[in-house]
Amino acid sequence: MANIPKSVREVLETLTAAGHEAWCVGGCVRDTLLGRTPEDWDVTTSALPEETMSLFGRRALPTGMKHGTVTVRTDRGGVEVTTFRCDGAYHDHRRPDTVIFTRSLEEDLKRRDFTVNAMALGLDGTIRDLFGGREDLTAGILRCVGEPDKRFDEDALRILRALRFASVLGFRIEQETAAGIHKNRALLGDIAVERIQVELFKMLCGKKVLDVLRAYPDVVGVFWPEVLPMVGLDQRNHHHCYDVWEHTIHAAAAVPPEPELRCAALLHDIGKPATFTVDENGVGHFRGHAAVSEELADGMLRRLKCATEFRETVVRLVEWHDRDIPRTDKAVRRALGKLGERDLRRLISLKRADNLAQSPAYFSRQRELDKGETILDKLLAENACFSLKQLAINGKDLTDMGLFGPAVGRMLNALLDAVVDGELPNERDALLTALKHL
């Protein structure tokens, strides 16, 4: 008996009891066979949308009747139930212009993207696998159902989905499918940037992101052409054993799999091609590349319509990635005040990855980063003051003394600087006394 959730099982049972075929289909089947917990369970059925609506009554919502989809409400959330269908022509490389409902499971499965996603699971545990998906799953291979050119022309987002599955699941993309990805990559230009953003960040957080980025920079270059000059750019510097792109993807793979960190690592050196110079000794330099990287990263993330907080976090990390933070209480406390604990720890992770993607002779910098992190831990354990909200006095104290307007903010920041620099203790009486002198 397949490990199908009770709520999904009840939907299947209702459909089959009424004389219809009903199967779990797609990613939930793939993940179940891989021993993973599926995020969603999708059901496909021979029942027409109207028949599904009638069977489930008030529990059924017509969320996509045109494409055969009804959402059935259960005590554990909605279950999407979609009628077996064949797709008509695609003119926007994303959605079929028309769909034709069918009573054939085979017709429904043959329109799907990859063989590992084209399997169906029945109530009794039966697997319908018409295209060798189980074999590909065992071998760790990602292969298009049918002709890759046709699959990608139908829905260009499948190009990025292939990269995402390869990265997250650790699969190898089969040769003809890989060739189809390279050949059809320009079709991504027709896809909404919001959808590209979702697939890109999932791909960046995969365990095989290094291999995927190494093999497909031309795909990323469709929506972020700024990455293309990095590929093959010899840094001509003894600090580096890789070209700019290879260094970048090693750094991206070395940070924890958080979207902000992986994205910051991918973009931290995006300004290097524009700042590359060679001195009289043939040594390469990238003076000012961090500032250029910051500007480019901001524009690239805006083009993908990333959330403001996400964009600002990534850009801040890119801006700071090349700054030296002295291993002193004062310097670390100042960095804490500027970045906060979360982003300072992210910055340390980025700096570690940046260093590990350089020549091994310079890995000793890891010890300096260890020292900085030790100081950070000590300051936090001591509840050290590094922000205005931790200051022992506040704006009301200043207004009570007769200050008002912008002067309040200026004075509070001056006092905070004095506390951070160790010139004043963070004590109310000491700060009020200093305020009188100021």
Side-chain angles (χ1 to χ4, degrees), residues 355-398:
N355 176 234
L356 291 172
Q358 297 174 343
S359 295
Y362 297 93
F363 286 179
S364 58
R365 291 179 181 173
Q366 298 291 316
R367 290 196 293 272
E368 294 303 308
L369 292 168
D370 290 340
K371 292 178 184 177
E373 196 155 25
T374 298
I375 294 172
L376 169 60
D377 291 337
K378 177 177 75 72
L379 290 173
L380 292 171
E382 295 170 352
N383 197 29
C385 177
F386 58 85
S387 66
L388 287 175
K389 67 181 180 181
Q390 295 174 293
L391 208 58
I393 63 174
N394 57 35
K396 184 177 184 303
D397 296 311
L398 273 65

Side-chain angles (χ1 to χ4, degrees), residues 70 72 98 112 151 203 340:
V70 173
V72 177
T98 59
R112 296 180 180 268
R151 293 287 85 82
M203 180 267 285

Side-chain angles (χ1 to χ4, degrees), residues 70-331:
V70 173
T71 299
V72 177
R73 289 179 294 192
T74 74
D75 57 358
R76 297 198 176 184
V79 176
E80 284 197 351
V81 179
T82 303
T83 302
F84 297 160
R85 73 185 206 202
C86 305
D87 292 341
Y90 289 73
H91 287 104
D92 62 357
H93 307 296
R94 182 67 190 106
R95 296 283 186 190
D97 299 335
T98 59
V99 299
I100 302 168
F101 300 136
T102 175
R103 301 289 185 176
S104 168
L105 175 63
E106 179 177 358
E107 289 298 318
D108 185 82
L109 295 179
K110 69 165 51 172
R111 69 179 177 82
R112 296 180 180 268
D113 51 7
F114 308 109
T115 60
V116 296
N117 294 335
M119 294 180 285
L121 170 65
L123 265 172
D124 61 355
T126 300
I127 299 289
R128 288 292 298 274
D129 176 17
L130 306 176
F131 306 102
R134 201 161 190 173
E135 183 179 345
D136 284 345
L137 202 63
T138 301
I141 293 174
L142 197 68
R143 184 194 314 271
C144 280
V145 175
E147 299 176 15
D149 287 351
K150 184 176 181 182
R151 293 287 85 82
F152 296 135
D153 185 68
E154 290 169 344
D155 182 356
L157 191 63
R158 288 169 172 168
I159 294 169
L160 274 183
R161 282 170 56 83
L163 270 54
R164 189 243 294 184
F165 289 136
S167 178
V168 172
L169 299 177
F171 283 13
R172 175 177 61 84
I173 300 178
E174 175 267 336
Q175 186 174 354
E176 289 186 13
T177 301
I181 289 172
H182 291 297
K183 178 181 176 182
N184 293 282
R185 66 186 185 278
L187 296 177
L188 285 171
D190 294 329
I191 298 300
V193 293
E194 294 90 345
R195 302 188 71 88
I196 287 175
Q197 175 203 133
V198 171
E199 294 296 333
L200 173 66
F201 294 154
K202 287 181 179 179
M203 180 267 285
L204 288 179
C205 291
K207 59 188 175 183
K208 289 292 186 178
V209 64
L210 175 65
D211 295 338
V212 170
L213 288 174
R214 178 183 288 137
Y216 298 96
D218 55 332
V219 174
V220 180
V222 173
F223 50 87
W224 275 353
E226 293 88 345
V227 307
L228 298 177
M230 303 169 76
V231 180
L233 179 57
D234 186 349
Q235 305 201 63
R236 300 178 67 172
N237 190 296
H238 57 86
H239 288 94
H240 290 281
C241 56
Y242 301 124
D243 66 41
V244 177
W245 182 244
E246 193 70 16
H247 162 78
T248 295
I249 63 178
H250 272 83
V255 293
E258 301 173 16
E260 294 90 344
L261 261 177
R262 290 275 168 105
C263 193
L266 186 66
L267 302 181
H268 80 282
D269 279 349
I270 198 74
K272 276 192 169 181
T275 58
F276 181 50
T277 59
V278 180
D279 66 21
E280 62 276 9
N281 298 315
V283 177
H285 301 280
F286 303 93
R287 296 181 179 91
H289 81 275
V292 176
S293 296
E294 175 192 355
E295 182 178 356
L296 289 174
D298 185 71
M300 294 163 73
L301 294 171
R302 286 179 187 273
R303 288 206 309 272
L304 287 193
K305 298 184 180 179
C306 295
T308 300
E309 183 180 358
F310 181 95
R311 173 176 53 79
E312 290 178 347
T313 296
V314 172
V315 170
R316 190 181 307 118
L317 293 172
V318 171
E319 174 193 359
W320 279 71
H321 87 272
D322 207 36
R323 292 190 191 183
D324 179 50
I325 301 174
R327 272 62 67 191
T328 65
D329 282 17
K330 176 179 175 180

